[in-house]
Amino acid sequence: MNYFSKADSSFTDALFKAGLLIPTEVAGLAARSGQFEAIVSGLDAMITRLGQDIGAETVRFPPAMTRVSFEKTGYMRGFPQLAGSIHCFCGDEKAHCALLTCIAEGRDWSQLLAPAESVLTPAACYPLYPIIAARGSLSPDGATVDVASWCFRHEPSIDPARMQMFRMREYVRIGSPQQVLAFRQQWLERVPDIAGQLGIHASVDLANDPFFGRAGQLKADSQREQNLKFEMLAQAGDQPKPTACMSFNYHQELFGTMCGIRQWNGEVAHTGCVGFGMERLALALFYQHGLQSSAWPASTRAALAL
Ligand code: AMP
Ligand code: ZN
């Protein structure tokens, strides 16, 4: 039985009461406590350890990416409802007065801003593809990259596991279809070990992305039919269903084509990624082991170097 499966307890309330997450006036934009961050840091180090044998190049991103790269990745085709764009004030002093008046009167002041050259990063691997493309053709070994970023998705929700800003760590594989599929399989086979080290119950299932609109349903169906996305699911709150804490994606030629990535032989590169949702993994640990990390099982604490 989970620590929070008692009928009279609400995990969300308990998280806020314990101060692990600190709510703000916007759903999905909670602040994190020191104890929460210690778990995220432990997970980060564990993920590095898990990937030690794959010889990945490490790249860390700021939470924004260039608007040009963002357009190349085609995010707006699939997920316009989740995107976040950065807008800045670029006016003169007169415009500044108008801006302050607007704010003071509680009116919408966003019209007085202009789009910046950056947008918020929706997934940690997105800024990588244009960078790899700019390096020229891949070597026969392809590329394996360890990326991390704060990510933004406009999906306000009272569910603490559905945040608007969260951290994602990913191992990304770029190369031939065989290289990418073997990589994804290798990581899928690591799930029992990952869940075992954390001491959490988890399962793997076929999944799809939340594509926008009516055409989106067709895309989602096709993604499932082709086994392109799997998720590691773990109970991370009071929701009736377990939550996706890791994703295992095969994008086929999508990013290779959109961003212009070539294999050594000139063919379009295939890509895939294995994503770790840092906050969701932390929430699964708090849900399944309790709110006091000092009372977690010794093996879990050891895995997280607590
Ligand atoms: P995805 O690109 O949707 O497969 O997301 C990769 C991973 O990020 C998921 O497996 C989750 O663990 C995590 N994630 C996705 N969306 C959110 C969210 N709204 N809040 C927190 N974590 C998320
Ligand atoms: Zn990815």
Side-chain angles (χ1 to χ4, degrees):
M1 192 169 87
N2 289 322
Y3 188 86
F4 283 99
S5 53
K6 287 172 252 132
D8 62 350
S9 72
S10 154
F11 180 63
T12 304
D13 285 353
L15 272 175
F16 289 128
K17 274 204 190 102
L20 283 163
L21 293 180
I22 304 154
T24 65
E25 57 272 64
V26 174
L29 272 182
R32 286 83 162 144
S33 74
Q35 194 191 168
F36 192 94
E37 285 305 289
I39 305 310
V40 171
S41 300
L43 286 164
D44 203 33
M46 179 181 155
I47 294 164
T48 301
R49 208 166 59 235
L50 288 167
Q52 234 159 22
D53 58 331
I54 63 171
E57 172 189 351
T58 300
V59 179
R60 294 289 175 263
F61 294 113
M65 62 186 285
T66 73
R67 193 171 287 273
V68 172
S69 292
F70 179 77
E71 286 166 6
K72 275 190 197 157
T73 61
Y75 194 75
M76 281 309 204
R77 289 190 190 180
F79 315 102
Q81 79 282 17
L82 299 178
S85 174
I86 299 180
H87 291 65
C88 300
F89 174 73
C90 307
D92 55 14
E93 290 193 25
K94 196 171 147 223
H96 183 214
C97 285
L99 176 74
L100 294 184
T101 308
C102 217
I103 294 173
E105 293 174 356
R107 288 187 285 118
D108 173 24
W109 48 277
S110 59
Q111 305 301 319
L112 301 169
L113 304 180
E117 50 286 282
S118 48
V119 297
L120 291 163
T121 301
C125 62
Y126 273 67
L128 179 70
Y129 303 117
I131 290 176
I132 297 291
R135 289 179 180 174
S137 298
L138 298 167
S139 75
D141 287 341
T144 307
V145 188
D146 163 359
V147 296
S149 181
W150 274 92
C151 299
F152 174 86
R153 294 185 186 175
H154 190 235
E155 45 181 352
S157 164
I158 52 162
D159 176 0
R162 191 164 293 284
M163 299 175 154
Q164 293 203 55
M165 294 211 80
F166 54 94
R167 278 157 290 184
M168 206 188 285
R169 181 86 186 265
E170 294 192 51
Y171 288 116
V172 186
R173 188 77 174 101
I174 308 175
S176 67
Q178 295 78 10
Q179 286 168 333
V180 175
L181 281 167
F183 178 83
R184 188 177 68 158
Q185 188 56 31
Q186 178 188 8
W187 279 96
L188 277 167
E189 286 167 11
R190 289 181 179 190
V191 167
D193 174 48
I194 296 170
Q197 288 196 40
L198 296 175
I200 59 172
H201 297 286
S203 59
V204 172
D205 205 357
L206 191 61
N208 62 267
D209 287 310
F211 294 104
F212 180 74
R214 249 179 300 156
Q217 189 56 51
L218 297 176
K219 287 188 200 168
D221 293 345
S222 150
Q223 194 182 24
R224 280 181 176 268
E225 271 157 29
Q226 298 179 80
N227 289 346
L228 299 183
K229 186 179 188 83
F230 290 92
E231 288 174 337
M232 183 186 86
L233 304 166
Q235 203 66 41
D238 295 326
Q239 305 76 16
K241 287 188 183 162
T243 305
C245 296
M246 281 184 72
S247 305
F248 307 80
N249 303 303
Y250 176 34
H251 316 118
Q252 298 171 305
E253 294 179 317
L254 180 75
F255 292 118
T257 304
M258 301 285 284
C259 301
I261 313 173
R262 298 261 158 206
Q263 296 181 50
W264 63 277
N265 58 6
E267 287 178 20
V268 174
H270 285 234
T271 66
C273 63
V274 174
F276 299 79
M278 306 305 287
E279 283 82 0
R280 284 196 182 167
L281 285 166
L283 288 171
L285 285 160
F286 282 115
Y287 186 77
Q288 299 195 22
H289 294 310
L291 295 183
Q292 271 303 332
S293 53
S294 55
W296 289 0
S299 54
T300 303
R301 291 179 54 77
L304 297 169
L306 293 176

